[in-house]
Amino acid sequence: MAPVATDSSAQADGRVGKRIENYTGFWQKDLNKEGKADTDNRVENYTDVINGYYDGATGLYEFGWAASFHFSRFYKGEGFYASLARHEHYLSAQMKLKPGMRVLDVGCGVGGPAREIARFSDVNIVGVNNNDFQVGRARKYTKRAGLEKQVSFVVGDFMKLSEQFGENSFDAVYAIEATVHAPSWEGVYSEIKKVLKPGGVFGVYEWCMTDSWDPSNPEHRELAHAIEIGNGIPVMRPLKKAREALLNVGFEIEHEEDLAERPDEVPWYYPLEGDIFKAQTAWDLLTVWRMSRSGRFVTHHGLWFIEKLGFVPKGTWEVGETLKIAGDALVDGGQKKLFTPMYLVICRKPEEEK
């Protein structure tokens, strides 16, 4: 089992060196050696898994993707950044967010969606994240955008939301590709329900293995394993378990849909394929190139070099290598319809508990 980072190797920006170094040790690289004990260890130490991953991966995400760490659907000819924003607007619209609402962003990353949704819906957003490094960057970017009076960020554990914020504290809660990191969906969904006011709405884009995924199939299990290690996820679960968890904790589902099942001409995973000829706009060429063979070559050697020079914490290069595993696995999962990053659910806390 991987050791838990308990040393004081913290940097001024909130990253902890040992967490990054220890990250890949939570998985057996050979799936045949993976056992229940490995999964249980990741689930039990989910905060170290998540923080080790994001301490190492956040800068790479910002370099290779954007400040919104999520996927999105594409219309033909639609630019990458426009697609990300539209995906956030769509969630906000489906939730029917109204000006003045107090909204919680669970697993807020560096705050890209929070800033966009605050502008789009004129709501007041609190972002919660257990990664100090990301919260610091979220605050910096939000101040730069002049939104610090409308959008704020706090360090916290999404498995203890009611303890931090109190029950019935928010008009609405959303999570964008974040609650997959939770040790259990029932646990995090239950906490979300507690902090919602009666009648409050919860909207989520959830990462799931689809109903076509078969855990008894070795190839399917290997795919899930690659997604886990490449994305800091303790254990991947099937879509039906997310639905069951929402109902089990008492949410009323108003709408659900796997948006990856839409018959889009341009698939959600296209930027990960690294084919510059598929870039939707000239501005997107660089984003797509970074995932190409030459782009990966440059990142591979460049990151190794700057780590040796001490510009990034030790272990960052190895976390970067897992991102390559992730990219390939996500494309494979998307093409085979075994994985979705956009199971959309809009649900509501009952006005009166049964």
Side-chain angles (χ1 to χ4, degrees):
M1 293 185 182
V4 177
T6 57
D7 74 318
S8 58
S9 58
Q11 301 194 8
D13 59 17
R15 287 179 291 183
V16 178
K18 282 297 180 183
R19 287 196 307 216
I20 303 174
E21 288 185 66
N22 291 340
Y23 169 71
T24 56
F26 280 102
W27 282 268
Q28 299 287 344
K29 294 184 178 179
D30 182 352
L31 180 59
N32 294 321
K33 296 180 180 179
E34 269 276 325
K36 184 176 182 297
D38 297 291
T39 302
D40 290 346
N41 186 45
R42 291 194 296 270
V43 170
E44 181 181 353
N45 296 294
Y46 70 95
T47 55
D48 286 284
V49 173
I50 296 169
N51 279 300
Y53 178 74
Y54 282 113
D55 279 358
T58 295
L60 300 174
Y61 272 37
E62 292 185 61
F63 167 73
W65 204 253
S68 292
F69 300 166
H70 62 78
F71 291 103
S72 56
R73 294 176 56 226
F74 291 91
Y75 285 107
K76 187 69 175 177
E78 183 177 32
F80 178 72
Y81 292 106
S83 173
L84 293 178
R86 182 174 54 78
H87 200 62
E88 294 155 7
H89 297 171
Y90 187 75
L91 179 64
S92 176
Q94 290 292 308
M95 293 174 67
K96 297 181 173 62
L97 298 184
K98 304 295 184 184
M101 277 186 169
R102 186 171 189 245
V103 180
L104 181 66
D105 179 333
V106 176
C108 60
V110 297
R115 290 185 292 274
E116 189 64 39
I117 290 174
R119 293 187 187 103
F120 180 75
S121 298
D122 199 19
V123 293
N124 299 305
I125 298 182
V126 178
V128 63
N129 190 330
N130 71 354
N131 186 269
D132 295 85
F133 179 53
Q134 288 193 340
V135 168
R137 295 177 82 77
R139 288 170 176 164
K140 180 181 72 173
Y141 298 147
T142 301
K143 184 176 181 179
R144 184 185 299 169
L147 291 169
E148 66 269 29
K149 292 182 179 180
Q150 190 178 353
V151 184
S152 61
F153 301 92
V154 295
V155 176
D157 185 344
F158 57 23
M159 302 301 288
K160 301 176 181 178
L161 295 175
S162 58
E163 181 180 318
Q164 182 166 5
F165 298 108
E167 296 190 11
N168 307 320
S169 298
F170 293 93
D171 301 298
V173 179
Y174 69 82
I176 299 177
E177 301 185 20
T179 44
V180 67
H181 293 290
S184 76
W185 275 329
E186 281 85 355
V188 68
Y189 293 159
S190 176
E191 284 297 299
I192 288 169
K193 181 168 170 281
K194 287 177 183 177
V195 300
L196 269 174
K197 295 177 182 178
V201 63
F202 171 46
V204 60
Y205 285 131
E206 191 62 83
W207 273 39
C208 314
M209 305 310 292
T210 68
D211 292 333
S212 298
W213 179 72
D214 179 3
S216 67
N217 184 318
E219 291 185 6
H220 289 195
R221 283 192 292 111
E222 186 174 352
L223 176 67
H225 181 71
I227 292 173
E228 290 167 359
I229 191 173
N231 293 279
I233 299 168
V235 59
M236 285 297 299
R237 310 175 183 95
L239 185 151
K240 62 184 178 181
K241 293 296 184 182
R243 181 190 300 113
E244 289 174 4
L246 288 165
L247 294 173
N248 287 343
V249 304
F251 274 116
E252 296 175 347
I253 295 178
E254 297 182 341
H255 176 73
E256 61 173 318
E257 179 185 5
D258 179 5
L259 296 181
E261 287 295 321
R262 295 278 186 95
D264 297 326
E265 184 176 349
V266 182
W268 61 264
Y269 51 80
Y270 107 82
L272 294 178
E273 293 180 297
D275 184 349
I276 61 172
F277 295 102
K278 292 183 180 180
Q280 296 296 289
T281 72
W283 293 105
D284 296 338
L285 284 170
L286 184 59
T287 298
V288 177
W289 170 80
R290 289 175 181 134
M291 293 303 297
S292 68
R293 181 176 298 180
S294 60
R296 290 186 180 197
F297 178 86
V298 171
T299 302
H300 172 89
H301 290 87
L303 188 58
W304 178 87
F305 184 66
I306 63 174
E307 181 179 307
K308 291 299 182 183
L309 293 178
F311 290 118
V312 295
K314 187 177 179 182
T316 302
W317 176 83
E318 191 168 10
V319 172
E321 291 300 285
T322 70
L323 291 178
K324 298 177 183 178
I325 298 173
D328 292 339
L330 294 173
V331 170
D332 191 32
Q335 291 174 339
K336 295 177 179 177
K337 301 292 186 180
L338 296 175
F339 164 79
T340 177
M342 51 187 73
Y343 171 48
L344 168 67
V345 186
I346 306 298
C347 52
R348 197 167 297 275
K349 179 177 179 176
E351 290 283 357
E352 295 183 5
E353 296 289 347
K354 297 178 182 180

